[in-house]
Amino acid sequence: MGSAHDPCRAAQERATQLGSAVLQSVIAAREARALSLMSDGKTAGRRMSAAMQLVDRGGRGRPSPEWTAFHGPAELAYAQGLLNAELGHHDAATAFLHAALAHQEQKYGRNRALYRITLAKSLIEAGEVDEGAAHAVGSLEHLEEVESGRVLRRLNEVAERLRAVNAASARDAAAELTEYAQTKGAA
């Protein structure tokens, strides 16, 4: 497992040399995600805590690179939600994903769509099918302004999960998501 951390360690060292706490936070959050995907929840949790502490120090040191403007409380709540979802803690994931969506600025339409569809997926996994279906369909309003393969893949995943649930709200939402994805795919 040590070799998997080498690129993250090198990136973190470079960000530290640059003096950007926000950049260090971005890297720590990405490392936490990778660790959660490798089922190392304990280390992932430590790296996510570091990411949160680092972003709190963002005003000190050198200015952050312009491309890190997206990284803040909403992004960190989303990352924490993903971490929990990937570790199978869907109730905890939904709390963080609700917070991420509440804090996400309107100008980041792709992120709002991604957060909302990810929330829908976690709600469905947590057994909150009606609310999950409503968020899944609601995410479509954010997609009109966005072209994102990742969002469409997540949309298809949610549609599959909804099709597996024996509930009218789930069937209706799955049909609407599938129709939307097919229309986008043909465009």
Side-chain angles (χ1 to χ4, degrees), residues 5-112:
H5 293 287
D6 291 343
C8 290
R9 213 170 278 124
Q12 197 61 259
E13 287 172 12
R14 182 70 178 126
T16 300
Q17 290 169 359
L18 292 173
S20 172
V22 173
L23 182 57
Q24 291 174 62
S25 177
V26 169
I27 294 165
R30 300 289 162 89
E31 183 181 8
R33 174 91 196 279
L35 289 163
S36 72
L37 289 168
M38 296 177 350
S39 299
D40 185 353
K42 189 174 184 177
T43 309
R46 283 197 303 267
R47 295 307 297 146
M48 186 57 65
S49 291
M52 290 176 178
Q53 291 170 358
L54 284 160
V55 88
D56 286 342
R57 295 192 325 221
R60 296 184 228 148
R62 281 186 162 169
S64 302
E66 207 171 291
W67 65 266
T68 64
F70 74 94
H71 191 75
E75 182 70 13
L76 285 169
Y78 175 70
Q80 183 70 55
L82 278 179
L83 189 148
N84 279 293
E86 287 156 355
L87 295 171
H89 308 298
H90 296 289
D91 287 331
T94 61
F96 283 104
L97 294 167
H98 271 296
L101 189 58
H103 290 99
Q104 185 54 260
E105 297 175 43
Q106 292 295 327
K107 69 181 178 179
Y108 294 115
R110 185 187 71 85
N111 286 3
R112 288 191 65 75

